[in-house]
Amino acid sequence: MDNLISLVNKLQRACTALGDHGEGALPTLWDSLPAIAVVGGQSSGKSSVLESIVGKDFLPRGSGIVTRRPLVLQLHKIEEGSREYAEFMHLPRKRFTDFAAVRKEIQDETDRETGRSKQISSVPIHLSIFSPNVVNLTLIDLPGLTKVAVEGQPDSIVQDIENMVRSYIEKPNCIILAISPANQDLATSDAIKISREVDPTGDRTLGVLTKIDLMDKGTDAVDILEGKAYKLKFPWVGVVNRSQQDINKNVDMIAARRREREYFSTTPEYKHLAHRMGSEHLAKMLSKHLETVIKSRIPGIQTLINKTIAEIESELSRLGKPIAADAGGKMYSIMEICRMFDQIYKEHLDGVRPGGDKIYNVFDNQLPAALKRLQFDKQLSMENIRKLITEADGYQPHLIAPEQGYRRLIESSLVTIRGPAEAAVDAVHALLKELVHKAVSETVELKQYPALRVEVTNAAIESLERMKAESRKATLQLVDMECGYLTVEFFRKLPQDVDKGGNPTHSIFDRYNDTYLRRIGATVLQYVNMVCSTLRNSIPKSIVYCQVREAKRSLLDHFFTELGKMEQKFLSSLLNEDPAVMERRSGLAKRLELYRTAQADIDAVAWAK
């Protein structure tokens, strides 16, 4: 099952490269990958345990908080006789064979992220060690828990470290390696305290007891190691690390491990536990346990990966594809996006999408209501009729019928219809413009390119303005036609002589009396109403022909003509995306590649299993 740990190592490195190292609120692949987090208080022997497992001096040492960033330590077992080396993920292709240089690089990389202050950072350092003397294993070394801030650190550092440790060990896929010194009361152990809070059942906690050889004479750690003092689901492991004097004398790890084995096998209190004590046993036990946990988590990891791939593909589809680099490709992309916008716009007008029905409302309700409101009160008042009739007669009163007076009354009445006609033109224009903005917002591809969105919107509205001008001209011509030529047939059907007011027995001046003038007003009103009825039908036809039909047929024609004259530089500017969108798409594409690779690798392992 070593390939399982190698697979998780590979995926963890990829997650870190993408900035997905378990910090976000949303579930990530990192969160789903089982890992062993090493937790302990300062001076608990945490660094010594890790170095003993690896068999090398490679961790920074000193007073105060030395570990200020998580260290993801991946151990890879290689063939016997091969030379040991280390690699950092932030320094690809550079191999470290000097482990003192590894220690310095950890310090330098920590300073690069946090400055030379004593601040901490949750961004991990990735270190891989390849050696024939290790087992396949991944450990995450976390900053040591502390109770007081040292000089140069904010008072919040204590809580900051605890919060960082919790962010790792609270995750259900995290295995907690709790390091506690045997020469202190276990009840005060920082590692046990925090692991008990996040894992009260102890199902995810492995206990390691350090500094057993430093306990007061007459005392021992048997009760703890046998699980009587503080029971965990898994057996406690005791280790004996190198003393500070050994470290100062550069006692090598091989000698240290030999002395550790001798200590447990020769000390009477621990002789019966010697077979499961020591750093070598701890490394093998951790490797086996990690393999078991990974194996049990594979189905859940596969489910997460499949779900995430679907979500990423969906969002990439929403963001749209990146645009071609050449001029032809850019032109084609712009035309295609415009075609999509144009299609959506037509769907609004044709009723496939909502909005077009409002135009019919202008013709069916607004225009008739506006015509009805005219009422022609001012034009057909007695005062105005008398004025226009007498003015039309000039110096000679009319003999039979006041034809010029009729014409002037009719023209002055019909000209008021221009107002409702223009209002109908403007109302339809406003609705067509509103549908442009609606179609623009519904064209997903235009959201991707703000500059193109502005150009298309402006071009469409400019076209609508030209169409409105043509529509106003044509519609007002209909009114002017009615003013310029009266329907003779209407007047031929009117009653003659007495009914008409032409009784020759009356004085000609009697024809200016109120009854006579009212009869003229009624005749003019009847004619004007007939014309209104005609225009109520013809004005919508003119507006539809000049505006709605043209909007469907040639909304972007002028834009397309201008597009062909544009230089490549301007075409490129139209397709400049929002930098945030470009960054998001790039990040999603990389993440999708990670998850697809993970899917293939994990599926292969699952089938092999």
Side-chain angles (χ1 to χ4, degrees):
M1 295 294 289
D2 283 351
N3 56 346
L4 282 177
I5 295 179
S6 299
L7 172 61
V8 170
N9 287 350
K10 173 184 173 184
L11 295 180
Q12 283 177 329
R13 287 196 299 273
C15 287
T16 301
L18 285 174
D20 172 13
H21 36 68
E23 291 180 336
L26 296 174
T28 64
L29 181 55
W30 174 285
D31 291 340
S32 72
L33 298 174
I36 301 174
V38 186
V39 181
Q42 283 188 39
S43 304
S44 62
K46 186 164 61 73
S47 295
S48 295
V49 170
L50 290 173
E51 288 185 330
S52 185
I53 289 173
V54 175
K56 289 289 179 184
D57 290 309
F58 69 97
L59 291 174
R61 293 181 179 275
S63 59
I65 301 170
V66 179
T67 304
R68 292 185 285 119
R69 288 176 62 182
L71 175 69
V72 180
L73 176 63
Q74 297 181 339
L75 306 182
H76 305 265
K77 186 173 181 63
I78 55 178
E79 292 181 2
E80 291 291 336
S82 300
R83 189 176 184 183
E84 298 171 305
Y85 66 94
E87 288 180 349
F88 287 95
M89 199 183 75
H90 64 271
L91 294 174
R93 297 181 297 277
K94 181 174 181 180
R95 290 189 175 187
F96 290 78
T97 54
D98 180 0
F99 282 82
V102 171
R103 179 188 301 116
K104 184 175 185 305
E105 182 57 33
I106 292 174
Q107 290 173 327
D108 292 344
E109 177 60 15
T110 299
D111 290 342
R112 279 191 282 269
E113 179 69 25
T114 63
R116 292 192 174 274
S117 65
K118 296 185 179 180
Q119 299 292 330
I120 62 169
S121 168
S122 59
V123 179
I125 297 173
H126 243 283
L127 173 64
S128 294
I129 294 178
F130 300 81
S131 169
N133 303 316
V134 299
V135 293
N136 288 311
L137 185 59
T138 300
L139 299 165
I140 303 173
D141 183 23
L142 297 171
L145 296 162
T146 184
K147 293 182 172 62
V148 293
V150 300
E151 185 179 350
Q153 292 177 335
D155 293 337
S156 63
I157 193 76
V158 176
Q159 190 61 48
D160 291 342
I161 291 175
E162 183 177 330
N163 291 342
M164 184 196 298
V165 171
R166 284 182 183 276
S167 71
Y168 278 87
I169 66 175
E170 282 177 342
K171 293 167 184 172
N173 291 305
C174 179
I175 302 162
I176 305 168
L177 187 64
I179 310 292
S180 300
N183 60 350
Q184 293 178 13
D185 186 356
L186 197 63
T188 64
S189 166
D190 294 313
I192 292 300
K193 179 178 177 293
I194 197 169
S195 62
R196 183 184 292 169
E197 291 174 8
V198 301
D199 180 33
T201 61
D203 291 340
R204 297 188 290 116
T205 303
L206 301 171
V208 176
L209 206 60
T210 62
K211 304 185 179 182
I212 294 176
D213 55 327
L214 302 181
M215 295 181 72
D216 293 337
K217 289 186 178 181
T219 62
D220 61 60
V222 173
D223 283 351
I224 297 173
L225 295 175
E226 290 183 344
K228 296 174 183 175
Y230 183 80
K231 188 171 180 62
L232 293 173
K233 184 174 180 180
F234 305 97
W236 281 80
V237 177
V239 295
V240 174
N241 296 322
R242 291 178 301 166
S243 65
Q244 188 59 49
Q245 186 178 8
D246 291 337
I247 294 170
N248 294 339
K249 289 182 177 180
N250 293 321
V251 173
D252 65 49
M253 288 294 178
I254 296 175
R257 284 180 176 177
R258 184 173 61 251
R259 282 165 52 177
E260 182 185 42
R261 287 194 298 269
E262 289 174 357
Y263 175 83
F264 284 112
S265 61
T266 58
T267 304
E269 292 86 354
Y270 304 119
K271 195 180 284 187
H272 66 293
L273 299 172
H275 64 286
R276 59 178 183 86
M277 294 292 118
S279 53
E280 285 184 277
H281 170 77
L282 175 62
K284 292 175 183 176
M285 183 269 290
L286 290 176
S287 179
K288 186 175 180 180
H289 184 67
L290 183 58
E291 289 170 358
T292 303
V293 173
I294 292 172
K295 185 177 179 181
S296 69
R297 297 289 195 276
I298 282 181
I301 295 172
Q302 287 174 308
T303 300
L304 172 73
I305 287 174
N306 294 336
K307 181 184 176 189
T308 306
I309 286 175
E311 290 173 351
I312 293 174
E313 288 176 337
S314 175
E315 186 168 358
L316 280 173
S317 176
R318 184 182 62 79
L319 291 175
K321 297 178 181 178
I323 294 299
D326 61 292
K330 292 180 187 298
M331 179 72 78
Y332 176 80
S333 297
I334 292 173
M335 298 286 280
E336 277 295 291
I337 293 170
C338 289
R339 184 189 63 77
M340 293 172 191
F341 158 76
D342 203 41
Q343 180 60 35
I344 291 173
Y345 189 73
K346 288 175 183 176
E347 288 175 1
H348 278 292
L349 292 175
D350 291 336
V352 179
R353 297 172 187 251
D357 54 309
K358 294 180 181 179
I359 294 174
Y360 177 71
N361 184 59
V362 172
F363 303 145
D364 196 46
N365 293 309
Q366 293 182 33
L367 177 61
L371 292 172
K372 190 174 182 180
R373 281 195 301 270
L374 289 176
Q375 296 180 358
F376 310 107
D377 293 340
K378 183 179 178 182
Q379 287 76 19
L380 300 180
S381 66
M382 291 297 294
E383 181 183 350
N384 197 50
I385 292 173
R386 179 177 284 109
K387 178 177 179 292
L388 291 180
I389 291 293
T390 54
E391 286 178 355
D393 280 348
Y395 70 93
Q396 291 191 63
H398 63 273
L399 300 176
I400 301 175
E403 181 174 333
Q404 288 303 320
Y406 267 114
R407 288 186 182 279
R408 291 186 185 183
L409 281 169
I410 290 170
E411 287 171 8
S412 67
S413 298
L414 290 181
V415 80
T416 61
I417 300 176
R418 292 172 66 96
E422 282 191 278
V425 170
D426 291 342
V428 170
H429 172 75
L431 290 172
L432 291 173
K433 194 158 70 169
E434 180 185 313
L435 291 181
V436 164
H437 293 294
K438 203 171 183 64
V440 164
S441 68
E442 292 172 3
T443 306
V444 175
E445 292 75 12
L446 283 176
K447 293 180 182 177
Q448 192 174 338
Y449 307 106
L452 180 60
R453 182 170 66 240
V454 171
E455 287 293 325
V456 169
T457 302
N458 291 342
I461 290 174
E462 285 173 11
S463 289
L464 291 180
E465 290 289 346
R466 288 191 293 270
M467 294 169 192
K468 182 178 78 169
E470 287 296 318
S471 181
R472 177 182 282 111
K473 180 180 176 182
T475 303
L476 293 181
Q477 278 180 339
L478 290 176
V479 180
D480 293 343
M481 287 176 194
E482 295 292 347
C483 295
Y485 184 81
L486 306 184
T487 305
V488 179
E489 197 66 26
F490 173 85
F491 295 96
R492 286 176 179 166
K493 292 178 181 178
L494 289 175
Q496 300 297 315
D497 299 322
V498 175
D499 291 335
K500 188 177 178 181
N503 189 335
T505 62
H506 293 168
S507 167
I508 194 163
F509 296 102
D510 290 342
R511 296 179 186 178
Y512 293 104
N513 64 34
D514 288 354
T515 303
Y516 177 59
L517 294 176
R518 271 195 293 272
R519 188 176 290 119
I520 290 174
T523 301
V524 170
L525 181 59
Q526 189 179 351
Y527 182 81
V528 170
N529 284 337
M530 180 192 75
V531 172
C532 282
S533 180
T534 301
L535 290 176
R536 177 179 171 177
N537 295 319
S538 57
I539 287 175
K541 292 178 181 179
S542 170
I543 292 174
V544 168
Y545 185 83
C546 295
Q547 286 178 267
V548 181
R549 191 192 73 135
E550 282 302 298
K552 286 179 62 177
R553 191 176 67 86
S554 60
L555 185 64
L556 294 179
D557 280 7
H558 183 73
F559 177 67
F560 291 150
T561 302
E562 294 300 310
L563 199 62
K565 304 174 187 176
M566 293 178 184
E567 297 180 0
Q568 183 175 354
K569 187 175 180 181
F570 185 73
L571 290 177
S572 298
S573 71
L574 290 181
L575 297 174
N576 282 342
E577 287 188 274
D578 182 342
V581 174
M582 295 173 67
E583 186 177 347
R584 179 66 176 157
R585 185 193 297 110
S586 175
L588 285 172
K590 291 176 182 176
R591 196 170 296 277
L592 182 61
E593 183 181 357
L594 163 66
Y595 278 80
R596 281 178 173 163
T597 301
Q599 184 184 51
D601 290 345
I602 290 177
D603 285 350
V605 170
W607 280 108
K609 180 186 69 172

